[in-house]
Amino acid sequence: MIFQEKHELIRKLAKGFADRELTSEVLDEAEERGYFDRALLDKMGKIGFFGIKTPKELGGQGSDCLAYVIATEEMCRASAAFGLYISTQNSLVSMPIMISGSREQKEKYMPPISSGEYIGAFGLTEPGAGSDAGGMTTRAVLDGDYYILSGRKTFITGAPTADIAIIYAKTDPDKGLRGISTFVMDMRAPGVSLGKPENKLGIRGCPTSDIIMENVRVHKSGLLGDLGRGFANAMGTLDIGRIGIAAQAIGIGQACLDESVKYANERKQFGKRIGEFQGVSFKLADMYAKLQAAKELTYQAALLVDAGVTGGQISLAASTCKLYSAEAVNQIAYDAIQIHGGYGFMKDYRVERLYRDARILPIYEGTSEVQKMVMAAQLLKR
Amino acid sequence: MKIIVCAKQVPDTNEVKIDPVKGTLIREGVPSILNPDDANALEAALSLKDTYGGEVHVISMGPGQAKYMLRECLAMGADDAVLLSSRVFGGADTYVTANTVAEGIKKIGGFDIIFAGRQAIDGDTAQVGPQIAGRLGLPVVTYVQAIREVKEKSVIVERQMEDGYEVIEIPLPCVLTAVKELNSPRYMTLMGIEDAYAREITVWDEKDLNIEPEKCGLKASPTKVWKSFTPPPKGKGQMLGGSAGDAAAALIDALNHKNMLKKEG
């Protein structure tokens, strides 16, 4: 794909930020302790990385989905854990409000989300409701001007450092998917507590935990959209969110390829650079081809969003790029380790972390199997 | 406060290629960037604007592709950008460049401070900033490493020396050239990039500046390049490891091997 100059400059900005700020010391420290300094997130917010697509009148940058993809990709090329904040803030936290929020709600929440004053989390998954989001048991019961929220959300990205959370809860348990509603919850409200930060395989620099709600009072002004429309809100959000995970994937994939090419040019065995052996050079060619295909699918999905396409066509495009990129980048990361041999298995080499970080891609924001369900449903409609 | 920043788009490489016939730089195929010292100059201007208010204008001379660099300046926070561009400006040496840029600065007018980078990483002459001051009849301080105080009619700066610095008070308007120690350039913002592409960059040619074509570019340049060449690359260095004693012994061996040590008889 040929980019416009504007998008090239956005890439330059994101890459410049990553090169200057995400030093190996910063990344190793985050990996070790499980979170990044808030000051670094504040810096990111000031540049505009948290409100890329958000309209200017709501405190955002007024840019587009392709800019969002490029920024996420470049940041994840340096650190998938750090880049995750871009996709969480821009899609999982912003989209539910942009899709269903009233004007007042948008004016209240979007400026601090865009600036990074509020770091948010997205609470859909529960211990017993993963791919089957409709099986959730979190309840919201109206009591005067307040909804009383009770339940447990699990594996919530960024929960330990979040100021607010989007919470999906059943307001009418008898109505199944049509009984789910969306709330914005203050993470400091009485009754909110956190599970222990999870000890994860990858993306360790971005903390994950449960959110436990025990009779948390959320004012009815925190209800997003109509009662019972929460499932549609979540699915609409994830359609765009999935493009962000694909962007994360291609960033990780590019880093794997960069490292592998470098190593293949340096490492010598049998008196030759290992890149001169077909066993290695063909791998590089395959990695490149997969990565380019993943990129094109992802950029294409972003361009469709920017062209104003909605509904089934976007669901299909987003799931396709997420499915393909997540799977392809896991193969790319596997090959990157293989090219590095024993060194790739050691934490001293970057590919070790990239391999672990890639593993979440076919799982979160809809497993690869869920993407296939979404895609097949669209295909069979035709 | 009205500040003008002189910026140059330069090739992003230490290995500048030179046209062996014309003795000028070959820009094709080389990625271009905002000259690093000019980024410090722009940052100095933007932080003065943050403190005292006012406006920051960026001026550059170069081919049309320099608009990309100027948009980067706008995305960092500059209010306006002007590109001096014309076929007849091509191949100018520092003398003629300073003449042309000085005319552009006069056309913008009404300024308090003109900032430039110390020097560009392609030519490394450090001449254009002071030459502009000369053309405009303004005082100049080069190698500015700190701005201590801005008064109503003057500014107090530190001028970097090899073994320390001078403190100089200079009347406004003036020209200051920035070194990298002056500050750390800010990032662009995404909104800044959006805005920079929602507008046109002003382009002025010799007619807009009211300069005769024969006073521009290569033909008008008094500098005659006798010969330009790329220095041959230096050989690879060799690291000697081990203890200080081992390394010293290895060094003496290596020097002896090359007959570079004279044995005392």
Side-chain angles (χ1 to χ4, degrees), chain B residues 27-88:
Chain B
R27 289 200 170 82
E28 288 78 27
V30 182
S32 298
I33 56 166
L34 167 62
N35 180 52
D37 286 346
D38 300 351
N40 295 105
L42 176 58
E43 175 58 39
L46 293 172
S47 50
L48 286 181
K49 181 190 158 189
D50 291 344
T51 312
Y52 301 100
E55 50 197 78
V56 173
H57 299 249
V58 182
I59 188 167
S60 185
M61 187 171 103
Q65 59 154 307
K67 282 184 185 176
Y68 182 68
M69 177 273 292
L70 287 173
R71 286 205 162 91
E72 197 174 332
C73 297
L74 291 172
M76 283 171 73
D79 298 284
D80 189 40
V82 176
L83 177 65
L84 309 179
S85 193
S86 164
R87 201 164 276 273
V88 302

